């Protein structure tokens, strides 16, 4: 218990042995790019050193926005061999897992709050041989995701309220990253990624990294940067 409190105070600085030996991964959120020119945007961000392509699927129900879906992700898949990091912000996501796995997503992340049976969604993603991510909104307590840490391959901690790019990072989410990293370490699940998404830039990334995150999603910061290589590099802390 004392150790747990110390960890929270220090924002996860003692967590995940080995994580500080490797650079964090950068997942470029295509929501922040010029969608009319998506192929060259992908090529440029790939050349700049991005590790994954993050695709935000929004249904206008789970979140107050509609983005894009399978037709666009099929084009993304054809345009790049980078791992596709699909972020489903849709209600009852199990209905669409077969489609997003079938088109070539590597990671499929769904929202805990949107799934009546989260374990069934994880199992369905695994049945396709894909990596399963589970995400929580800033207001959702960590205790709600705990039952799924034994089987998920990635936990996405939203650092803004999902729905829109270009929002301001919420510092209160850092404690949740530390807590999840501590829980994963306690379970011996040190290969599970913690991804952060929303308001990530050269400043906020440092706090996320210290708290125990290892996959950094960024849209407006990366695609708005004049020097994209430098921007990607600034996120690999
Ligand atoms: O999932 C979402 C928003 O709901 C994100 O992936 C955003 O697209 C990130 O954009 P920035 O905050 O980096 O501009
Ligand atoms: Co996202």
């Amino acid at each position: 218990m004392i150790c747990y409190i110390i960890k929270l105070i220090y924002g996860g600085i003692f967590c995940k042995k080995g994580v500080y030996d490797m650079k964090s991964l950068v997942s470029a959120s295509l929501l922040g790019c010029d969608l009319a020119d998506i192929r060259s945007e992908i090529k440029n961000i790939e050349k700049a050193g991005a590790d994954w392509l993050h695709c935000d699927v929004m249904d206008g129900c789970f979140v107050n926005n509609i983005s894009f879906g399978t037709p666009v992700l099929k084009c993304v898949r054809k345009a790049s061999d980078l791992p596709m990091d699909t972020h489903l912000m849709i209600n009852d996501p199990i209905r669409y897992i077969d489609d997003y796995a079938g088109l070539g997503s590597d990671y499929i992340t769904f929202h805990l709050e949107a799934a009546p049976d989260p374990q069934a969604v994880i199992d369905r993603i695994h049945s396709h041989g894909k990596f399963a991510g589970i995400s929580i909104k800033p207001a959702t307590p960590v205790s709600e995701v705990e039952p799924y840490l034994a089987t998920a391959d990635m936990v996405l901690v939203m650092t803004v309220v999902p729905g829109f790019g270009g929002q301001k990072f919420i510092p209160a989410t850092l404690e949740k990253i530390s807590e999840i990293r501590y829980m994963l370490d306690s379970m011996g699940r040190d290969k599970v990624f913690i991804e952060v998404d929303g308001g990530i830039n050269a400043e906020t990334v440092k706090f996320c990294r210290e708290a125990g995150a290892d996959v950094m999603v960024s849209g407006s910061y990366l695609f708005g940067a004049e020097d994209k290589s430098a921007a990607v590099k600034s996120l690999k802390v």
Side-chain angles (χ1 to χ4, degrees):
M1 186 63 190
I2 290 172
C3 188
Y4 183 56
I5 293 166
I6 291 172
K7 263 183 67 66
L8 286 181
I9 292 169
Y10 284 92
I13 220 146
F14 301 125
C15 61
K16 204 188 183 193
K17 290 165 266 346
V19 73
Y20 295 107
D21 301 340
M22 59 176 225
K23 298 268 183 225
S24 46
L25 297 171
V26 173
S27 192
S29 173
L30 297 176
L31 194 65
C33 83
D34 177 356
L35 291 170
D37 204 7
I38 194 164
R39 183 179 284 271
S40 55
E41 290 276 49
I42 289 172
K43 288 294 158 209
N44 289 339
I45 210 68
E46 195 173 326
K47 226 183 291 163
D51 300 289
W52 295 358
L53 297 175
H54 183 88
C55 301
D56 289 305
V57 177
M58 303 178 182
D59 65 357
C61 296
F62 179 67
V63 290
N64 291 326
N65 198 7
I66 298 174
S67 57
F68 40 72
T70 51
V72 171
L73 268 70
K74 282 180 189 165
C75 296
V76 171
R77 185 66 297 167
K78 277 193 262 169
S80 173
D81 291 329
L82 284 185
M84 188 188 278
D85 174 29
T86 299
H87 178 192
L88 299 179
M89 285 165 273
I90 61 175
N91 276 334
D92 204 5
I94 200 160
R95 297 173 298 148
Y96 289 97
I97 298 305
D98 297 352
D99 290 352
Y100 286 96
L103 63 79
S105 301
D106 296 283
Y107 282 81
I108 303 178
T109 297
F110 66 96
H111 273 264
L112 171 79
E113 305 89 350
D117 182 354
Q119 191 58 55
V121 185
I122 292 173
D123 294 344
R124 180 72 71 92
I125 296 169
H126 284 163
S127 76
H128 289 280
K130 307 294 184 181
F131 296 108
I134 186 162
S135 181
I136 50 170
K137 293 179 181 182
T140 303
V142 163
S143 57
E144 289 190 22
V145 83
E146 195 175 3
Y148 309 102
L149 297 183
T151 49
D153 304 293
M154 181 159 81
V155 182
L156 166 53
V157 177
M158 288 305 298
T159 44
V160 298
V161 175
F164 297 88
Q167 301 183 72
K168 211 165 166 277
F169 179 82
I170 301 172
T173 56
L174 289 169
E175 192 175 308
K176 295 162 77 164
I177 301 166
S178 301
E179 274 184 71
I180 293 168
R181 180 57 72 203
Y182 180 74
M183 288 172 177
L184 288 168
D185 281 354
S186 308
M187 298 164 78
R189 301 216 72 221
D190 59 352
K191 301 275 189 301
V192 176
F193 284 126
I194 297 183
E195 183 175 58
V196 284
D197 185 6
I200 303 299
N201 57 38
E203 286 311 308
T204 56
V205 74
K206 296 177 199 153
F207 304 121
C208 294
R209 185 63 168 159
E210 278 185 5
D214 37 28
V215 182
M216 314 302 178
V217 177
S218 178
S220 48
Y221 171 69
L222 280 188
F223 287 102
E226 199 63 40
D227 183 344
K228 294 195 174 29
S229 301
V232 169
K233 201 167 163 211
S234 74
L235 298 182
K236 295 197 180 193
V237 289

